[in-house]
Amino acid sequence: VDCCVERRRLAVRPALLQRLLAQLQRCGTSMAELRAAGLDLPHHASSLTAIEQQAQNWRQEAAQLEAAHECATSQEHHEALSGELDDLLQQYNRLCDEAGSSLPAPAALGVLCDRLGELDQQFERLAGMLPQAEVAAEGQVVRDALAMLCQRFDDAATGDSC
């Protein structure tokens, strides 16, 4: 979800949002089946309502996301991805500042790894559309940062120090 929420529309892959929406809808369907089978708990009903509302919000966002992607130029995609990369690197730096001499929390690093993995896919696709050295260089920065953050994640998850 962190790869989609509060991100630049052009930096979110429509297929990812559709996949998350499908999972949310499956969860809602399962919960509705439990309710139809007789489950009558107050928190269950309110959770089902919340899931249905979130699915509706994501369907609307998916439509807007698709429209934005269809109308955007390759250069606009590149600018959005570059902005996301800058944001991610700044967020990593803030995490490190907050952690001091310790490693940042694995959960926070995992989110950054997921987002960088998404950016890597998109920079690869963009490299085929824009034969610019800058796109290739940024793609390499993404891959290097992803490798570093994955190592930091592994270190933090296992309690190893750098």
Side-chain angles (χ1 to χ4, degrees):
V1 174
D2 290 313
C3 289
C4 296
V5 177
E6 297 181 11
R7 304 285 160 249
R8 293 164 179 83
R9 278 198 176 124
L10 295 179
V12 175
R13 282 187 315 111
L16 175 62
L17 184 56
Q18 288 295 338
R19 190 173 78 224
L20 292 172
L21 176 58
Q23 287 294 96
L24 186 64
Q25 289 171 323
R26 277 193 277 284
C27 182
T29 298
S30 295
M31 290 179 71
E33 288 170 355
L34 287 171
R35 188 174 190 186
L39 183 64
D40 186 26
L41 298 171
H43 70 277
H44 184 82
S46 62
S47 295
L48 182 55
T49 300
I51 285 174
E52 290 168 349
Q53 182 59 52
Q54 188 63 51
Q56 178 60 31
N57 292 343
W58 283 7
R59 279 190 290 277
Q60 291 172 352
E61 177 60 23
Q64 293 172 358
L65 188 72
E66 289 282 347
H69 277 261
E70 288 175 12
C71 295
T73 66
S74 296
Q75 186 59 40
E76 289 169 329
H77 280 278
H78 179 228
E79 291 167 7
L81 295 179
S82 294
E84 278 297 301
L85 177 57
D86 289 343
D87 291 351
L88 277 166
L89 296 176
Q90 288 175 13
Q91 189 172 355
Y92 173 71
N93 288 336
R94 280 193 301 277
L95 284 174
C96 288
D97 289 345
E98 291 168 6
S101 61
S102 302
L103 286 169
L109 290 171
V111 168
L112 294 181
C113 289
D114 290 345
R115 288 178 55 200
L116 276 168
E118 277 295 309
L119 275 181
D120 185 37
Q121 286 184 36
Q122 293 180 72
F123 267 106
E124 289 239 353
R125 182 185 57 80
L126 192 61
M129 299 164 64
L130 288 175
Q132 299 174 3
E134 184 178 346
V135 174
E138 284 175 316
Q140 188 60 52
V141 169
V142 169
R143 286 185 295 283
D144 290 347
L146 181 56
M148 178 193 68
L149 262 67
C150 285
Q151 182 61 53
R152 298 278 182 174
F153 173 85
D154 291 344
D155 292 343
T158 60
D160 292 343
S161 61
C162 298

